[in-house]
Amino acid sequence: MKKILGRGDSLVHDAGVLTPDPAVIKDSLCAVSRQLGFSGCRVARAGKCPHAEKLFQWLERGWHAGMEWMARAPERRANPGEVLPGCRSVICLSYDYDSPAVRPEREGSICLYAHGKDYHGIVEEKLSDLVELLSLYGGEQKGYVDAGPVMERDHAEACGLGWRGRSGLIVRRKGGSRFFIATLLTTLELEPDAPVSHGCGSCRRCVDLCPTGAIMENGQVDAGRCLSYWTIEHRGSIPEEIRPLIGSRLYGCDTCVTVCPWNRKSLPEADERFRMSRLLASIPLRDLLSLDADGFAALFRHSPVKRIKREGLLRNGCIVLGNAGTPDDIGFLESLSGESSLVAEHASWAADRILRRHGQDACSSGARD
């Protein structure tokens, strides 16, 4: 790490630990975070999250669907001190993403955050530099990027990284909700930042236009209705009543992001590694689904899409073809049936849906020749 310590450089003890002046620490933290590419850096006071009860209610209602890890020790998730003993501050950082490229609609859309490389490793590497920095001031830290037992949105809202929109996402006036949240728990006591005013006003686009009505009035999301849950997190068969609602979504759902007025402007300074490659933007869906295991691994090795594995991609692709394909796709769907029982189920459903949509008898073998 290139050390940027500002006016704290000369304040060093014999043991090599910088004088823990909170103002100096925060100045250094903000300076280094900007150099690393974070678009925002704010501090929340550690303590039980103000919306912890909402988390417990969300779990009691079963809105976490099949994400059982969310129900493991929720009290620990709601209190940073349970994760890092002696935690005094929660540092919340934003790292922007954007991508001008898109796939043609009938070829299967991929949600914006997954257009390019997997954000976990990229942002975690930058977070490790901040851990090193704060260690110089005698702090003990634990950092997470969307993968730890912390309520990052609660902390981000508390310190004014943005406000919690009706979609449940944290939204900013500059850049909307297109950013990853990184959280850094530390034993250092830093001056907390104030929250910002709510900017949604009377807008309800994310609620009204959610294709499955998954967004509740209180800003929570019922994962059992959310298309991102079904196309990414869920591993088995997707219920038949959900499949038509998936439309042409191959991975995730960006509706609550794309309809938000705060996301209208592009983010030209966002990390280019999160942009979609020309290959992924142009490859036809049938060619994508024709990739063997090695081809899938090569194309998605550094992508969030690898999370659903090749079988998940085939399952989702069958649904997209069922919703947007033509009778010309039926033979291809039949060729996928040998992949697995899960893929065969969705391929059969897709073929029947195409035939019904085009006014043909789903049982007519002649239509499939």
Side-chain angles (χ1 to χ4, degrees):
M1 179 185 72
K2 292 181 179 180
K3 192 172 71 172
I4 299 181
L5 299 176
R7 52 196 173 94
D9 267 344
S10 61
L11 305 176
V12 184
H13 292 306
D14 293 339
V17 178
L18 299 179
T19 302
D21 181 328
V24 171
I25 297 172
K26 196 169 181 181
D27 284 351
S28 298
L29 173 69
C30 291
V32 175
S33 70
R34 284 193 297 270
Q35 184 194 40
L36 291 171
F38 288 103
S39 57
C41 176
R42 296 176 76 90
V43 177
R45 194 182 304 280
K48 186 174 181 180
C49 293
H51 298 300
E53 291 305 319
K54 286 188 177 181
L55 170 65
F56 303 150
Q57 291 171 4
W58 184 74
L59 293 170
E60 288 171 3
R61 290 168 177 166
W63 285 354
H64 58 304
M67 297 183 289
E68 296 301 331
W69 64 90
M70 292 293 297
R72 295 176 195 149
E75 295 83 4
R76 183 169 182 260
R77 184 180 294 274
N79 189 347
E82 296 289 329
V83 180
L84 176 65
C87 180
R88 292 183 176 86
S89 305
V90 180
I91 300 161
C92 299
L93 303 117
S94 58
Y95 198 85
D96 295 352
Y97 65 86
D98 201 5
S99 177
V102 294
R103 290 174 53 79
E105 185 174 352
R106 82 171 296 274
E107 303 300 340
S109 65
I110 295 174
C111 60
L112 187 62
Y113 83 81
H115 277 193
K117 297 196 178 213
D118 193 336
Y119 62 94
H120 290 93
I122 292 174
V123 182
E124 284 169 359
E125 182 178 357
K126 296 174 180 295
L127 204 59
S128 67
D129 282 348
L130 296 180
V131 168
E132 181 182 344
L133 170 69
L134 295 181
S135 295
L136 294 174
Y137 291 105
E140 182 181 350
Q141 287 71 232
K142 282 191 176 181
Y144 299 100
V145 182
D146 191 31
V150 292
M151 295 178 65
E152 56 269 287
R153 294 183 191 178
D154 257 34
H155 300 302
E157 181 183 27
C159 68
L161 195 65
W163 70 87
R164 190 185 297 265
R166 284 193 171 87
S167 64
L169 299 174
I170 299 299
V171 187
R172 307 161 299 178
R173 284 178 168 78
K174 183 179 179 181
S177 59
R178 290 162 298 167
F179 64 96
F180 305 113
I181 299 176
T183 51
L184 192 57
L185 312 184
T186 179
T187 56
L188 297 170
E189 188 159 4
L190 306 177
E191 181 68 25
D193 292 293
V196 295
S197 60
H198 201 281
C200 290
S202 60
C203 179
R204 291 175 44 87
R205 293 183 186 181
C206 59
V207 177
D208 296 338
L209 297 177
C210 176
T212 58
I215 301 174
M216 305 292 105
E217 288 297 330
N218 57 7
Q220 293 181 314
V221 175
D222 180 354
R225 302 184 191 181
C226 180
L227 297 183
S228 283
Y229 166 75
W230 288 112
T231 58
I232 300 175
E233 301 296 339
H234 182 67
R235 290 292 179 264
S237 174
I238 294 177
E240 290 197 18
E241 64 270 20
I242 296 291
R243 297 175 195 176
L245 301 175
I246 288 175
S248 60
R249 298 170 180 86
L250 188 63
Y251 184 94
C253 175
D254 261 347
T255 299
C256 60
V257 174
T258 58
V259 303
C260 177
W262 295 104
N263 285 322
R264 285 175 180 165
K265 294 183 179 180
S266 62
L267 299 175
E269 296 183 2
D271 196 321
E272 293 187 359
R273 287 174 290 182
F274 299 129
R275 296 182 179 180
M276 185 177 287
S277 68
R278 291 182 180 179
L279 173 60
L280 187 56
S282 61
I283 184 171
L285 178 58
R286 281 169 56 166
D287 290 350
L288 195 60
L289 301 182
S290 297
L291 293 173
D292 60 14
D294 290 339
F296 174 86
L299 182 59
F300 295 114
R301 179 173 292 113
H302 303 294
S303 164
V305 177
K306 70 179 181 295
R307 178 179 177 85
I308 62 174
K309 302 186 178 354
R310 179 170 172 267
E311 184 181 55
L313 183 71
L314 293 175
R315 176 200 64 183
N316 295 352
C318 287
I319 293 176
V320 172
L321 287 175
N323 291 329
T326 69
D328 292 339
D329 294 311
I330 291 177
F332 177 74
L333 285 164
E334 290 179 334
S335 72
L336 295 178
S337 295
E339 292 288 343
S340 71
S341 59
L342 178 67
V343 176
E345 175 196 341
H346 291 77
S348 176
W349 173 87
D352 288 348
R353 182 167 171 79
I354 290 173
L355 290 172
R356 288 195 301 271
R357 185 168 61 252
H358 287 269
Q360 300 179 45
D361 182 1
C363 297
S364 172
S365 60
R368 303 184 186 220
D369 292 337

